[in-house]
Amino acid sequence: METFLLKAFQLIVSLSILVLIHEFGHFIFARLFKVRVDKFYLFFDPWFSLFKFKPKNSETEYGLGWLPLGGYCKISGMIDESLDKEALKQPPQPYEFRSKPAGQRLLIMTAGVIFNFLLALIIYSNILLYWGDAYVPLKNVTYGMDYSVTFRNIGFEDGDILLKADGEPLERFNEDCLRKVINAGSVTVLRHGNEVSIDIPSDIMQRILKDKEGFAAYRFPMIINEVSTKTAIDAGLLKDDRIVGVNDVRTDVASEVIHELHANKGSIVSLEIIRNGLSMALNAPVDSTGRLGIIAKSNLSDFYPTVKVKYNFFSSIPAGVMLGIRTLKGYVTDMKFVFTKEGAKSLGGFGAIGNLFPSVWDWRLFWERTAFLSIILAFMNILPIPALDGGHVMFLVWEVITRRKPSDKFLEYAQIAGMAILIALLIYANGNDLLRFFVN
């Protein structure tokens, strides 16, 4: 329950920041072009609001709604999600959105997306400035990777070291690495000292989505960081012991140790350990969950040489911009899989988004996830769907090209259709979350 609440809290805080920045973009450009803003709200306020105020001599009401599904900036003279028809029955006023030139209206509508993307770049730059960048080059991962069944079925073997995708070196294990692998014709790995080429089928991403087992995980030895139970202490286990065998089965890496312990739940096992360079045997009880009562080392820097890159103020900005652009390009590239059967099933709602956040508070991860969501929000909002910013932009571009403005009645119907599409997608995505929760 605590994990759920912490993830939910992080999600709400993150989305609140993104919504405020997005709507502020619309607000500031509207005011720049002397368009009146009637309301500026965080969260939606059907029937009532939790808090609202209107500063003296201000035309804008600011408030906090009770429905945490976003927020809005109600711009005078614009057909938006409020579907305020009465105001549009009156003659256009100079301060209204509909009275302004198409170019100004276009800037007002794209400002939210621009502000979200700029926010992501600022966050990424500050992450690099404050924390720097640290990673383990794949060539340094001497124990290789453990691969999912999906990838073992096409020729990968546990322990393979990733080298190249279509001849291009694979530097680090991240989303870009996976994209290069799934889009490659062949991947080169190092296996038992020899380079081996593995053909990648064109439908590998569909197989990943269908099997839901992912790609791969780091392999590293099982080295004790802490002995946490009396039974483990009584068995003679010590910090820095390395477990290399269970019941005469060789276990070079942690995943193999875990597998053997789960196969011997509730029994006494014979462990081969390395202590101070010497091999010795110990008997230890395995509990009913397959655990020894130890906490193992898990930081990659404990096992592999790590590259650390530091940035100053001036170098962090271009590095953050490039990181944001790569993230956007990667997300746009991945969107093509949404239109497959497996991709549609993998769509998620608030539950899936909440699971992006860690189960313990980590400032770096919080800001990384917030920057990523800011890019997603920017991209999704610019899609040419009525009711989204991109829908308004689509009609404005049409107006600029044809010099004919769509009628208010047409825009009203388009807004209703767009809202219906978005509500249907919202129900479908969150329905997938519920289905996964109950099935799993």
Side-chain angles (χ1 to χ4, degrees), residues 159-163 188-198:
D160 285 350
I161 300 172
L162 293 165
L163 295 181
T188 304
V189 300
L190 188 65
R191 181 182 298 166
H192 307 309
N194 300 312
E195 290 193 5
V196 177
S197 180
I198 302 170

Side-chain angles (χ1 to χ4, degrees), residues 351-370:
I353 299 172
N355 280 327
L356 291 174
F357 292 93
S359 55
V360 295
W361 190 272
D362 183 305
W363 277 110
R364 176 168 186 154
L365 288 177
F366 171 79
W367 287 116
E368 284 180 347
R369 301 300 187 266
T370 299

Side-chain angles (χ1 to χ4, degrees), residues 127-375:
I127 288 173
L128 295 176
L129 175 63
Y130 188 81
W131 285 287
D133 187 19
Y135 67 97
V136 175
L138 281 168
K139 63 182 181 181
N140 291 351
V141 185
T142 52
Y143 287 92
M145 315 292 286
D146 281 327
Y147 296 91
S148 67
V149 173
T150 306
F151 281 86
R152 291 202 299 273
N153 286 340
I154 65 171
F156 285 85
E157 293 184 6
D158 290 342
D160 285 350
I161 300 172
L162 293 165
L163 295 181
K164 291 176 270 187
D166 282 343
E168 180 184 351
L170 297 171
E171 184 180 10
R172 61 171 79 184
F173 186 63
N174 56 14
E175 293 86 354
D176 287 338
C177 174
L178 174 58
R179 292 187 186 105
K180 289 177 181 178
V181 168
I182 65 177
N183 290 311
S186 66
V187 170
T188 304
V189 300
L190 188 65
R191 181 182 298 166
H192 307 309
N194 300 312
E195 290 193 5
V196 177
S197 180
I198 302 170
D199 292 332
I200 305 298
S202 58
D203 66 340
I204 186 61
M205 190 62 189
Q206 284 76 15
R207 299 189 194 187
I208 295 172
L209 293 172
K210 181 179 179 181
D211 297 341
K212 300 177 183 177
E213 291 194 354
F215 173 33
Y218 288 103
R219 285 162 62 95
F220 45 81
M222 174 70 86
I223 300 176
I224 298 175
N225 188 54
E226 180 183 339
V227 182
S228 56
T229 65
K230 184 177 184 302
T231 55
I233 294 172
D234 292 342
L237 293 170
L238 298 176
K239 177 180 170 62
D240 293 326
D241 283 351
R242 177 183 169 187
I243 302 174
V244 296
V246 179
N247 286 349
D248 297 325
V249 176
R250 183 72 182 179
T251 54
D252 291 316
V253 294
S255 57
E256 294 171 346
V257 175
I258 293 170
H259 178 271
E260 292 303 318
L261 293 179
H262 275 266
N264 291 276
K265 294 177 182 178
S267 63
I268 305 293
V269 295
S270 174
L271 301 176
E272 181 184 354
I273 65 171
I274 303 296
R275 179 182 296 169
N276 299 325
L278 300 176
S279 176
M280 58 186 299
L282 291 175
N283 292 325
V286 182
D287 67 20
S288 59
T289 64
R291 297 178 180 177
L292 281 174
I294 62 171
I295 298 174
K297 292 183 178 181
S298 58
N299 291 328
L300 289 178
S301 57
D302 291 332
F303 313 108
Y304 303 120
T306 302
V307 172
K308 296 182 179 180
V309 183
K310 291 185 178 294
Y311 295 88
N312 59 33
F313 176 78
F314 296 102
S315 62
S316 67
I317 296 174
V321 170
M322 291 306 299
L323 178 55
I325 292 173
R326 285 200 306 273
T327 303
L328 175 60
K329 288 174 64 177
Y331 184 74
V332 173
T333 300
D334 294 343
M335 279 296 292
K336 63 185 178 184
F337 298 113
V338 172
F339 301 101
T340 65
K341 179 180 178 181
E342 294 79 10
K345 289 180 179 178
S346 70
L347 280 176
F350 292 111
I353 299 172
N355 280 327
L356 291 174
F357 292 93
S359 55
V360 295
W361 190 272
D362 183 305
W363 277 110
R364 176 168 186 154
L365 288 177
F366 171 79
W367 287 116
E368 284 180 347
R369 301 300 187 266
T370 299
F372 179 60
L373 290 177
S374 194
I375 285 177

